[in-house]
Amino acid sequence: MRVIIPAAGVGSRLRPYTEDAPKALVPIAGRPLIWHTMRRLAKMKVSEVIVVSGYMSEMLRASLDACPETPPLRFVENPDFASTNSIVSLGLTKPFWDKPFCVLDGDVLVSCDLLQRVLDSPRDVLAVDTSKAYADIDMKVRIHDGRAVDFGKDLEPSARQGEFFGVSRWSPPNAARLAAAIDEMLAAGKVGEWYEFAMRRLAVEGGLDVLDATTDEWAEVDSAEDIPTATALVERDEVSFA
């Protein structure tokens, strides 16, 4: 199983940490954030990791070259990282969508257990935190019969909802649909969008299966206030490496 990690963004909300380092290298529990992800992926013996770099790309690559535990690595460069968003970064990895793969955002830490459930899923899934109250959800997902049928930051409350946090699994047929949605959006000049809005089109058209997750299984490091939460996740998860 391949894993694709978009990690090209500037991470302006994480300043001052990102003034002289890319977001994926923010220190968590004494190590760069992305090193923790690589350790998990190496433990799970994924076949290859595709990292999309951009902001301070050389520093990110050098850090990953020095990381003591990584699966085989390949890098894809987003030279337009400063003027585009994650839809462009993910779109650049389409040549690697010929086999099943997972997408894992570069600023997200995931517990070993949840990551294993995503990798082992027999179907394509979006990992969705269904334990959060509506008011605490950022990227909102509307769920019906176990499937994501819509998502966005401004969705109204629904009978069942959750938060999408940048972890998903794709097989070539659904990846082809996602590629078409990305291509259409980019052709319309929507280079500043998150890739979630290409996924949203697939959800609205027919739904995407949801894999339930809970708040203590993941942490998005989007601001300095998120670092203690990510540190606590790493410390809890250490038992998985014993």
Side-chain angles (χ1 to χ4, degrees):
M1 174 74 71
R2 283 179 177 146
V3 174
I4 294 172
I5 302 180
V10 174
S12 58
R13 285 180 287 180
L14 261 169
R15 290 178 180 145
Y17 293 96
T18 53
E19 287 178 352
D20 55 6
K23 191 176 185 180
L25 299 187
V26 169
I28 304 294
R31 291 186 172 193
L33 186 160
I34 201 167
W35 282 29
H36 295 290
T37 296
M38 290 299 165
R39 187 183 187 195
R40 286 155 173 72
L41 297 177
K43 174 183 174 67
M44 293 164 194
K45 296 180 170 54
V46 304
S47 60
E48 184 178 38
V49 177
I50 314 296
V51 177
V52 186
S53 58
Y55 178 62
M56 296 193 177
S57 176
E58 291 185 4
M59 181 181 291
L60 178 61
R61 293 183 184 216
S63 178
L64 285 171
D65 284 342
C67 182
E69 298 173 89
T70 68
L73 285 174
R74 193 189 301 250
F75 293 92
V76 172
E77 183 81 13
N78 178 0
D80 301 315
F81 68 88
S83 58
T84 63
N85 211 327
S86 61
I87 191 170
V88 171
S89 290
L90 187 60
L92 289 169
T93 68
K94 288 186 296 181
F96 304 101
W97 294 8
D98 57 320
K99 297 178 181 178
F101 64 92
C102 291
V103 177
L104 174 58
D105 284 356
D107 60 355
V108 172
L109 278 173
V110 181
S111 73
C112 289
D113 181 69
L114 175 57
L115 187 54
Q116 193 72 69
R117 297 202 315 268
V118 174
L119 292 171
D120 290 345
S121 174
R123 65 190 192 283
D124 293 350
V125 291
L126 304 179
V128 177
D129 184 345
T130 53
S131 70
K132 296 181 78 170
Y134 172 83
D136 298 327
I137 296 173
D138 183 23
M139 183 59 73
K140 300 171 178 64
V141 178
R142 182 171 295 134
I143 302 169
H144 180 71
D145 289 339
R147 292 172 68 79
V149 295
D150 198 2
F151 52 99
K153 290 181 177 285
D154 300 322
L155 289 185
E156 294 296 323
S158 60
R160 187 161 186 261
Q161 61 220 349
E163 178 170 3
F164 177 66
F165 49 91
V167 181
S168 55
R169 182 200 187 281
W170 299 85
S171 60
N174 276 329
R177 296 173 59 217
L178 179 60
I182 289 175
D183 288 345
E184 187 174 335
M185 291 180 69
L186 294 181
K190 297 181 179 180
V191 298
E193 296 282 4
W194 290 290
Y195 69 70
E196 286 89 344
F197 292 104
M199 292 182 181
R200 177 180 184 268
R201 185 169 305 185
L202 276 62
V204 171
E205 288 175 353
L208 293 165
D209 285 343
V210 164
L211 187 150
D212 288 341
T214 59
T215 301
D216 61 357
E217 293 184 299
W218 66 280
E220 180 182 24
V221 184
D222 202 36
S223 67
E225 290 74 22
D226 298 324
I227 292 176
T229 302
T231 300
L233 186 151
V234 168
E235 292 172 349
R236 287 196 306 271
D237 229 28
E238 277 303 305
V239 67
S240 299
F241 295 98

